Amino acid sequence: MADAPKSAAPATKAPPAWRQRRYLFWLIPLLLLPLPFYLGQYKQYVVNLILVYVPVGVGFNIVVGNLGLLAFSNVAFFGIGAYTSGVLALKLGWPWWATILPAGLMGGLVGCIAGVPALRGVRLFYLAIMTLAFGELLRWVYIRWVPVTGGSFGMSVPKASINVFGWPLPTEGDKFYAFLFLAVLMVVLTDRLLRSRFGRAFMAIKGNEQAAAAMGIPTDRYILLAFAWGGFVVGVGGSMYAALVGHVTPIAFDLAELILEFAVVMVGGLGSLVGSVLGAAIITAAPEFFREWPGFQEMLFGVLIVLVILFLPRGVASLLARVHPIFIDRYYRD
Amino acid sequence: MAALLELTDVTVRFGGLVAVDGVSLTVSAGEICAVIGPNGAGKTTLFNAVSGNVAINGGRILFQGEEIHGLTPHQISTKGVRRTFQNGGLFPHLTALENVLVGLHARVDSDILGLLLGTSAAKRAESAATARARELLDLMDIGHVADHLASDLSGGQQRILEIVRALATEPPLLLLDEPAVGLAPHMRSQLVAIIRRLASERGIGILLIEHAIELVMSVADRVIVLNYGKKVADAPPAQVRADKAVLEAYLGHA
C-alpha cells in the first residue's frame, strides 16, 4: 500500500439489496388497516394515542437526536399545535382537517423562535434550561389568555368540527384512519428530509459544528431548519391530540408531559426515525400492560424505562438494527 | 503567475497576546507550502484566520484576488478554500460515504420542496451525489470502507477520508493541519504520495502545517517558519535546512 493509489476508478459497487427493499416498510401501515374491526373503543383509543405520539417523537428526535442539541421545547410545539387546532375549531368554526396545516405551521414558527438562542451559540445545559423556560412560558400564556384559550380549564373542541372534508369521525376507529395517514405522512416526509443533504447537514452539525461549516454548510440556517421542521411535525401531532382527546388544557403540556416525550425518544433510540416510532408505541402502550398490577403501574413503567436506557443506550431501535440492516438509519440514497 | 492565496501583514491578537504578527505569504496553484515552527508559534491560528474561524485584527487575506477575511467559514469554504482539522474533523457517527457526501453538500442541488414531494429531479441529484462520493472514495483506494462508520476506520484511513471529504468539491486550495500526526511510517509515505499527486496532477495549492520535519522536507516546495507569531524564514526546504538559525531555534539539532 506504500505506492500511490491508482488513478483509474474501479466500477462503483451496486448498493446492497436490502437497501432497495425499504418499500417493505409500507407493509406496516397496510397490516394495521383492519385494526378497527378487531379492537374495542378503548383499545382503539390507545392505538390512536400511539399514532399521536409518532409525530411528537419524530419531531423531538430531529432536534435532540439528529441535530444533537439539548432543546426541551418540544412540549411547546405540541401545545401550540393543539391550541391552534382548538382555537380555530372552537372560535372560528373551522373543521378540524383544515386546522392541521396551520397547527403544523404554528409549531414550525414556535420551533424557529425556540431555536434562536442556539443561533447565539447557547448550548448544552444553558440551551436546555432556556428551552424548558420557553415551554413553561407558553403554558403560562395558555393559562392567562383566558378569552382565547379558556384558561386553566382549557377548551373543548366541538365534536361536529372533527371531520375530514365534511366526513365526520364519530368513533375511535374513524379517527384511526385519519391519524394513520398523518402519522405515516410525517414519517415519510421526515425520512425524505433526513436521507438528503439536509439530514446530513443536521448530522454533521451534531458531529462537529466547526467541521460542518468548513464543508460549506451554513450551520445557522440548518439549525433553524431542524427546529422548524421538528416544530412542524410535532405541531401536527398536537392537532391530532386535540381531535383525539377533544379537550385542550394547559396541564396536558407540563413538565411531566415533556419527560414522557423525552422517554419516547430515549427508549426508541436517539437519532433514529425507526426508534421514534417504536418509542411512541412502547411508551404509550406499556402502561396499559401494567394495568393488571394496580398501584405498581407507574413503578413498573419507570423500571422499564430505566432498564431500556441501561441495557440499550441506543434505544430499542439498536436491537432491531442488529436483527437486520434495513433498520439502520442511513443518510443517503443510492 | 498570480498567487492563489495571498496574505499581507496578517495579525491576530487574543487579548494582549499577539498570536500572528504581521505575516505575509503566498501560495500558488500546484504549490506545496509548509508552515513549521515550535508549539505556540501561531501556525494553527494562521490557518484558522484563512478559513475564517478566527477574525484578523490587521492585514488582508486574498483568495484568487478576492478579499476573504471577514467572511464566515462556510462562505470561505464555498469559495474554494477547504481544510482538514488537527484533531480529526470527521463526523464519527456517520459512515465514510456520508462524510464525503457532507463534503459534497454545496454540490448537491436538491431543494427541500422537491425532496419532500419526492420529485425525480431531487432524487436524481441525491443519488448522483452518492455515486460521486463512492467514486471519490474509490479513487483514493478506500472505497471498501465506504459503509463503515468513520470512527471504525484506522488512523490512516481516517486521515485519507478527511482529505477526500475536503477535496470533494474540487477546491483550488487545500489547508492540511498536521495530516501525518500519529501515522505509521508506511502510511506517511502514502500520504506524501497523495499530497504530491494533488499538487502536480490537479494543480491544487496546498498549505500544510506539519511537525514531522522529514515529511515537510520531502514534500514541500517551500517552507515557511513561524516563531512567536512572526515569519522568520520563507524558502525552499534545502535552504531552510541550511539556515543555521532556523535549525537551532526551531528544528532542534537535526
Side-chain angles (χ1 to χ4, degrees):
Chain A
M1 283 298 284
D3 35 318
K6 294 135 214 92
S7 32
T12 45
K13 289 166 286 286
W18 54 263
R19 201 169 287 137
Q20 293 159 350
R21 281 194 219 114
R22 285 175 52 97
Y23 58 82
L24 286 176
F25 278 120
W26 285 104
L27 282 177
I28 298 168
L30 278 178
L31 289 174
L32 290 178
L33 280 179
L35 219 50
F37 297 103
Y38 297 99
L39 296 182
Q41 287 290 293
Y42 181 71
K43 281 187 176 163
Q44 187 64 60
Y45 170 83
V46 174
V47 170
N48 290 355
L49 196 59
I50 291 176
L51 292 177
V52 168
Y53 276 95
V54 166
V56 171
V58 166
F60 203 172
N61 217 345
I62 291 166
V63 176
V64 293
N66 298 111
L67 185 67
L69 291 187
L70 222 49
F72 291 118
S73 39
N74 209 59
V75 79
F77 314 155
F78 190 41
I80 207 75
Y83 269 100
T84 303
S85 275
V87 169
L88 288 177
L90 182 67
K91 307 282 174 182
L92 302 180
W94 288 29
W96 170 68
W97 64 268
T99 70
I100 300 169
L101 186 63
L105 292 176
M106 281 301 285
L109 181 71
V110 170
C112 286
I113 297 168
V116 168
L119 300 186
R120 308 297 304 164
V122 179
R123 290 290 182 276
L124 297 171
F125 309 114
Y126 304 95
L127 185 64
I129 200 71
M130 280 182 91
T131 46
L132 268 176
F134 181 67
E136 284 298 290
L137 182 87
L138 268 188
R139 209 160 68 82
W140 190 85
V141 172
Y142 308 147
I143 294 171
R144 291 303 173 96
W145 201 13
V146 181
V148 174
T149 63
S152 304
F153 298 108
M155 62 169 87
S156 287
V157 184
K159 278 222 153 47
S161 75
I162 302 174
N163 66 70
V164 174
F165 305 116
W167 191 282
L169 309 173
T171 67
E172 296 300 332
D174 297 314
K175 285 178 194 168
F176 169 75
Y177 291 107
F179 285 13
L180 184 64
F181 171 77
L182 288 172
V184 169
L185 184 68
M186 289 304 119
V187 170
V188 168
L189 292 181
T190 302
D191 179 59
R192 285 177 178 171
L193 193 69
L194 287 180
R195 293 194 311 118
S196 76
R197 68 195 189 106
F198 295 90
R200 290 191 297 271
F202 300 160
M203 299 297 290
I205 290 168
K206 176 188 181 180
N208 187 335
E209 220 173 314
Q210 211 181 29
M215 294 301 111
I217 292 171
T219 49
D220 280 3
R221 213 178 300 164
Y222 282 91
I223 288 173
L224 219 48
L225 177 68
F227 270 95
W229 183 255
F232 177 83
V233 173
V234 177
V236 169
S239 177
M240 290 159 73
Y241 176 83
L244 179 69
V245 178
H247 202 80
V248 185
T249 54
I251 194 80
F253 310 107
D254 60 0
L255 276 179
E257 170 66 19
L258 177 70
I259 292 167
L260 196 75
E261 294 175 5
F262 195 49
V264 168
V265 170
M266 292 307 293
V267 168
L270 202 59
S272 163
L273 187 55
V274 175
S276 306
V277 178
L278 275 174
I282 292 168
I283 295 297
T284 314
E288 303 303 323
F289 288 107
F290 298 137
R291 215 166 260 278
E292 289 169 42
W293 299 280
F296 292 98
Q297 199 182 347
E298 283 79 10
M299 209 180 77
L300 288 170
F301 185 48
V303 168
L304 172 85
I305 294 179
V306 170
L307 286 179
V308 170
I309 308 270
L310 205 57
F311 293 105
L312 294 170
R314 304 291 307 168
V316 180
S318 64
L319 257 188
L320 280 185
R322 262 180 259 169
V323 175
H324 198 280
I326 199 170
F327 293 109
I328 300 174
D329 292 275
R330 280 294 163 250
Y331 301 93
Y332 62 93
R333 142 198 317 277
D334 271 297
Chain B
M1 185 204 279
L4 195 59
L5 180 73
E6 192 177 347
L7 274 65
T8 319
D9 287 327
V10 170
T11 300
V12 179
R13 275 185 225 104
F14 295 126
L17 179 87
V18 186
V20 177
D21 193 356
V23 171
S24 300
L25 64 87
T26 62
V27 181
S28 306
E31 186 183 28
I32 302 171
C33 196
V35 181
I36 62 170
N39 287 326
K43 306 183 296 289
T44 294
T45 304
L46 186 72
F47 256 44
N48 286 338
V50 175
S51 65
N53 294 93
V54 169
I56 62 173
N57 303 100
R60 7 188 261 149
I61 303 175
L62 300 184
F63 174 67
Q64 293 179 326
E66 208 180 324
E67 274 189 9
I68 56 167
H69 57 267
L71 298 181
T72 60
H74 81 260
Q75 286 169 330
I76 293 174
S77 165
T78 309
K79 286 209 178 293
V81 181
R82 302 275 287 219
R83 66 171 294 177
T84 65
F85 290 85
Q86 195 171 8
N87 300 314
L90 289 173
F91 309 117
H93 56 308
L94 292 181
T95 62
L97 180 72
E98 287 158 357
N99 266 278
V100 179
L101 278 166
V102 173
L104 277 167
H105 182 87
R107 288 290 174 86
V108 190
D109 53 353
S110 56
D111 64 304
I112 187 160
L113 209 61
L115 281 165
L116 290 177
L117 297 175
T119 63
S120 54
K123 282 182 188 166
R124 238 181 294 122
E126 285 290 333
S127 49
T130 307
R132 176 73 182 137
R134 286 193 189 280
E135 203 178 299
L136 289 168
L137 287 167
D138 282 339
L139 270 174
M140 290 287 193
D141 276 356
I142 52 171
H144 57 288
V145 294
D147 293 308
H148 291 246
L149 292 181
S151 55
D152 291 342
L153 303 189
S154 72
Q157 288 169 332
Q158 289 190 4
R159 220 52 62 80
I160 293 173
L161 176 59
E162 216 187 335
I163 293 176
V164 172
R165 189 184 68 172
L167 289 176
T169 50
E170 295 164 358
L173 182 68
L174 180 63
L175 312 178
L176 299 172
D177 196 349
E178 296 202 28
V181 70
L183 286 191
H186 73 281
M187 285 307 303
R188 282 192 182 191
S189 50
Q190 192 184 344
L191 189 74
V192 167
I194 288 173
I195 293 173
R196 278 219 191 94
R197 206 155 56 87
L198 294 175
S200 63
E201 288 178 19
R202 299 205 217 164
I204 296 172
I206 293 170
L207 187 64
L208 88 152
I209 294 176
E210 191 49 72
H211 275 296
I213 293 305
E214 334 78 69
L215 187 140
V216 167
M217 294 304 172
S218 68
V219 79
D221 297 318
R222 204 148 47 80
V223 178
I224 289 159
V225 186
L226 290 187
N227 195 30
Y228 294 113
K230 282 200 170 75
K231 187 167 90 169
V232 294
D234 185 344
Q239 224 170 304
V240 168
R241 196 190 274 279
D243 190 323
K244 273 232 160 52
V246 169
L247 256 179
E248 279 173 19
Y250 317 115
L251 307 185
H253 299 274

